[in-house]
Amino acid sequence: DGPGKYCFGNLGFTPETAVVTLGWQSPDGGNPIPRVRLVDLEHCPIGFRQAAVTLRDPVTGATPDYMFYIHFN
């Protein structure tokens, strides 16, 4: 859905909860803050509105692409 924005769908189940954590990042200290949502996903394409992750740099407000892991339950 754009840099630092990821939409999930076609999971085969309805997620009740989700946890996201960052993977290994560069040592420059510019790691973004991950946010996961299961509601209000109108910005995601149809068919990919079960969950969304946004990564936001706390200093610049930019949404950079970074590696992350997500666990659905």
Side-chain angles (χ1 to χ4, degrees):
D1 190 45
K5 298 177 182 178
Y6 307 88
C7 297
F8 297 86
N10 299 316
L11 298 176
F13 61 94
T14 301
E16 297 293 326
T17 62
V19 177
V20 65
T21 187
L22 296 176
W24 181 88
Q25 307 300 319
S26 66
D28 66 1
N31 295 341
I33 297 172
R35 176 182 172 197
V36 63
R37 294 183 302 177
L38 300 176
V39 295
D40 299 326
L41 305 176
E42 292 80 23
H43 69 282
C44 291
I46 292 175
F48 292 91
R49 292 184 177 169
Q50 285 186 280
V53 171
T54 302
L55 305 176
R56 187 163 310 276
D57 184 300
V59 176
T60 66
T63 55
D65 284 327
Y66 274 77
M67 181 174 58
F68 66 89
Y69 301 94
I70 187 166
H71 175 79
F72 295 108
N73 192 4

